[in-house]
Amino acid sequence: METITDKASSIVTEAQARQYREEGWFVLERVLPEDQLELLRGLAQTAMDRADAEMDAAAVDMLGLNHRGRRYFVSGLAEQEPSLRSFLFGDLMADICRATLGPDVFQFVEQFVIKAADKNSAFSWHQDSGFVHEDHEPYLTCWIALDDVTEENGSVYLLPYSRAGVRSYVKHFHDEATNDKVGYFGDDPGTPLVVPAGSIACFSSVVFHRSGPNLTQDLRRVYLAQYSSEVIRTKDGTQAWEGPEEFLRNGERV
């Protein structure tokens, strides 16, 4: 049985773990092995194809947060793809989860976020928790860059706790034009994450972030893997928000 990772051998340094506690985020550059990077890139195309098929069936060009040919938010692919499950529950993600969430972890949500060339493909300031509700412990988002990310192709911008002035859930408002939820209306532009493919930005679900439009001719592909320290339930507490799956118990993989 796998044992708890020794801090000295963790890919997450103590300084990074402290930054996560104090400011809500840190970045691991070029940590994804090439075979895993190519796996996720291939599945990103599968995700876009499935989203387009759903919009075809509904005879629309916008469905939920998906805008045909512009941006895609596709969840649930791991249910049909064993190779993706192997990544979600693999050694790398276990190491990151232990360093940020502790010994008891559930896999919460996984999602491909893809921007095509489109000057209108920006995404508004929000907390990931803003898409859930206020009654849960902050969870972990692992924002995995599948392409080199620049400000020109739609980098994510983070607002650390000390600059946002908050480190807890904030009520969000629905933007009817885009279906975005918006929770920050200040003038701080945030810190852009300019990172090479294979990097992982790790941030708390209560860290405000946004992303710019993709002004290049290439896709900007990201995979989000999210984990929690508890089973996050619906607002009324009657059922799980998503189908959480236990990942770590007392630091060991289940």
Side-chain angles (χ1 to χ4, degrees), residues 180-196:
D180 292 359
K181 287 192 175 182
V182 188
Y184 175 73
F185 300 91
D187 57 7
D188 191 322
T191 298
L193 296 187
V194 176
V195 295

Side-chain angles (χ1 to χ4, degrees), residues 20 24-28 96 100 140-143 200-204:
Y20 184 82
W25 70 285
F26 64 89
V27 175
L28 299 168
I96 294 171
T100 52
L140 167 70
T141 292
C142 294
W143 192 91
I200 303 179
C202 304
F203 53 90
S204 167

Side-chain angles (χ1 to χ4, degrees), residues 110-237:
E110 51 86 20
Q111 182 180 68
F112 284 92
V113 180
I114 301 162
K115 288 176 182 276
D118 184 358
K119 65 180 181 180
N120 296 314
S121 60
F123 200 59
S124 304
W125 278 116
H126 66 284
Q127 301 168 314
D128 288 339
S129 285
F131 285 83
V132 186
H133 53 72
E134 69 271 26
D135 295 329
H136 65 270
E137 290 296 318
Y139 54 91
L140 167 70
T141 292
C142 294
W143 192 91
I144 304 168
L146 307 185
D147 302 291
D148 293 343
V149 177
T150 65
E151 291 192 77
E152 289 71 29
N153 71 0
S155 175
V156 67
Y157 296 75
L158 300 180
L159 202 55
Y161 292 150
S162 60
R163 286 162 58 180
V166 297
R167 51 189 304 144
S168 59
Y169 172 93
V170 171
K171 181 178 175 61
H172 286 53
F173 298 88
H174 179 243
D175 183 332
E176 292 186 359
T178 62
N179 282 334
D180 292 359
K181 287 192 175 182
V182 188
Y184 175 73
F185 300 91
D187 57 7
D188 191 322
T191 298
L193 296 187
V194 176
V195 295
S199 300
I200 303 179
C202 304
F203 53 90
S204 167
S205 66
V206 292
V207 164
F208 275 107
H209 55 288
R210 65 178 178 92
S211 62
N214 183 355
L215 303 178
T216 73
Q217 296 304 306
D218 300 312
L219 293 175
R220 190 232 65 182
R221 298 164 293 183
V222 166
Y223 183 60
L224 296 182
Q226 297 178 319
Y227 301 86
S228 61
S229 59
E230 62 178 359
V231 174
I232 297 176
R233 309 190 71 81
T234 54
K235 177 68 173 175
D236 62 11

